[in-house]
Amino acid sequence: MSGMASDHNNSSQEEYIPHYLQKEDPFASKLSREADIVAGFYLTIIGILSTLGNGYVIFMSSKRKKKLRPAEIMTVNLAVCDLGISVVGKPFSIISFFSHRWMFGWIGCRWYGWAGFFFGCGSLITMTAVSLDRYLKICHLSYGTWLKRHHAFICLAIIWAYATFWATVPFAGVGSYAPEPFGTSCTLDWWLAQASVAGQAFVLSILFFCLLFPTAVIVFSYVKIILKVKSSTKEVAHYDTRIQNSHILEMKLTKVAMLICAGFLIAWIPYAVVSVWSAFGRPDSVPIQFSVIPTLLAKSAAMYNPIIYQVIDCKFSCCRSGGLKAKSSLKKSR
């Protein structure tokens, strides 16, 4: 019986033909022209806001680059990743949506898939590094005494090497990049898992090292931070003003990091769920009209971060100015 079952599984894998190898044109849009136009306008707005917002963050950071703390250097790297996918990737999909088909052939498809995965992986690993920095800085105070700027730059080199490795692995014959089922965008070839055991190993490796493991580290770090903050708030109140101000700044950076991670995961998890189902669920069971929604949501992730920076900065500036006014009035009364 087990032999018959394995024969059946092997035959089903051999019989499966992914959507992009079937007779119809894989780059022709499977959506209505109206839906493509709406998606094109949506991505245009997202691309403009993301480019302007992340460009502004990078420009403002460059004006004080010698004063950036290690966590802020990581945050700038995140803005670089978001700007990269907005400038390098989004024009391809915008043009294709308005043209009602993918316009750049297989070479453009593989380039677009590589760029999207490279910058997306870079963003997630950067957020993982930031969450570890926040965890060690707040939960293990002695860590902050030796962490210097050059440690942050070493970490950046590791992040870029990590993203380059996993984005380039498909070109080594292990995996591939392929058109999405709706035709006007490209991504990792999740459908290889339906065709062979090697394809399943490739997809599972990508899921673990580029999604599950980093997400687990992020969740662990911020859960520990929340527990630590609850237990130490009263202790900090007894310290002098300098230590309290340092604590406020660290909490500001932690809030920024937590909100950025939450926004990224909310944007990308629906896409990850659909991708996993495409890889290991019933073949072609995800409706094409439904599969485009998580894709568009994931492409909006690069827009959130500059908004988060500004909201937290405004709140922090208000709190700081309020504190300064209170101190000056106290001096006058004395």
Side-chain angles (χ1 to χ4, degrees):
M1 291 291 290
S2 61
M4 292 177 61
S6 63
D7 290 342
H8 175 72
N9 289 336
N10 291 334
S11 63
S12 64
Q13 287 179 341
E14 290 173 1
E15 291 172 2
Y16 176 72
I17 301 176
H19 62 277
Y20 55 85
L21 293 180
Q22 296 172 6
K23 291 182 179 179
E24 58 186 10
D25 183 358
F27 297 128
S29 177
K30 311 304 186 295
L31 304 174
S32 66
R33 185 171 291 277
E34 291 77 13
D36 276 335
I37 291 174
V38 171
F41 276 115
Y42 168 81
L43 288 180
T44 301
I45 295 171
I46 294 294
I48 292 172
L49 293 177
S50 176
T51 301
L52 293 177
N54 288 292
Y56 174 77
V57 170
I58 295 170
F59 172 73
M60 294 303 293
S61 300
S62 67
K63 296 175 71 174
R64 51 184 293 268
K65 56 186 176 182
K66 293 184 178 179
K67 297 181 180 179
L68 292 176
R69 302 155 67 92
E72 292 173 315
I73 293 172
M74 295 291 183
T75 305
V76 173
N77 189 63
L78 187 59
V80 171
C81 291
D82 291 338
L83 182 64
I85 191 58
S86 299
V87 173
V88 174
K90 281 190 173 61
F92 285 79
S93 54
I94 291 171
I95 293 171
S96 297
F97 273 115
F98 281 125
S99 302
H100 199 50
R101 64 173 288 110
W102 180 258
M103 298 295 294
F104 306 98
W106 278 102
I107 294 177
C109 181
R110 293 186 178 104
W111 159 253
Y112 177 85
W114 181 90
F117 187 68
F118 172 72
F119 287 113
C121 182
S123 294
L124 184 57
I125 303 304
T126 300
M127 285 185 284
T128 306
V130 170
S131 68
L132 280 174
D133 172 80
R134 298 292 85 208
Y135 164 69
L136 294 172
K137 188 79 172 179
I138 292 175
C139 299
H140 301 277
L141 298 178
S142 59
Y143 161 78
T145 60
W146 64 265
L147 181 71
K148 305 300 180 184
R149 284 166 56 92
H150 68 271
H151 293 115
F153 290 115
I154 293 172
C155 188
L156 291 185
I158 294 172
I159 290 169
W160 287 110
Y162 191 93
T164 301
F165 173 78
W166 285 107
T168 311
V169 159
F171 293 129
V174 180
S176 183
Y177 294 101
E180 299 266 17
F182 51 86
T184 47
S185 182
C186 295
T187 184
L188 275 170
D189 191 350
W190 303 103
W191 302 271
L192 284 175
Q194 299 280 358
S196 67
V197 175
Q200 292 176 359
F202 163 72
V203 171
L204 287 173
S205 299
I206 290 290
L207 286 173
F208 179 78
F209 288 104
C210 300
L211 179 64
L212 297 179
F213 177 68
T215 302
V217 173
I218 290 170
V219 172
F220 167 81
S221 299
Y222 289 125
V223 167
K224 297 294 285 185
I225 287 171
I226 291 170
L227 295 176
K228 180 68 176 180
V229 168
K230 283 187 175 181
S231 63
S232 63
T233 303
K234 293 181 180 179
E235 297 177 10
V236 174
H238 297 293
Y239 294 144
D240 61 34
T241 304
R242 184 177 59 82
I243 295 177
Q244 289 184 18
N245 289 339
S246 176
H247 178 75
I248 291 172
L249 179 58
E250 295 299 336
M251 291 311 302
K252 173 215 171 185
L253 294 172
T254 303
K255 287 178 182 178
V256 169
M258 289 179 69
L259 288 173
I260 288 171
C261 290
F264 185 91
L265 294 176
I266 289 171
W268 277 98
I269 283 178
Y271 180 78
V273 170
V274 171
S275 299
V276 170
W277 183 258
S278 299
F280 299 103
R282 191 160 52 87
D284 304 324
S285 60
V286 180
I288 291 176
Q289 290 76 10
F290 177 77
S291 68
V292 71
I293 297 173
T295 302
L296 294 177
L297 180 62
K299 292 179 187 300
S300 69
M303 180 187 67
Y304 305 147
N305 297 342
I307 298 173
I308 294 171
Y309 303 147
Q310 292 306 311
V311 170
I312 296 295
D313 271 339
C314 287
K315 290 177 67 177
F316 181 69
S317 299
C318 291
C319 293
R320 187 167 55 185
S321 62
L324 290 174
K325 288 179 181 178
K327 287 180 183 178
S328 61
S329 63
L330 182 60
K331 288 181 179 178
K332 287 180 180 179
S333 65
R334 286 179 179 175

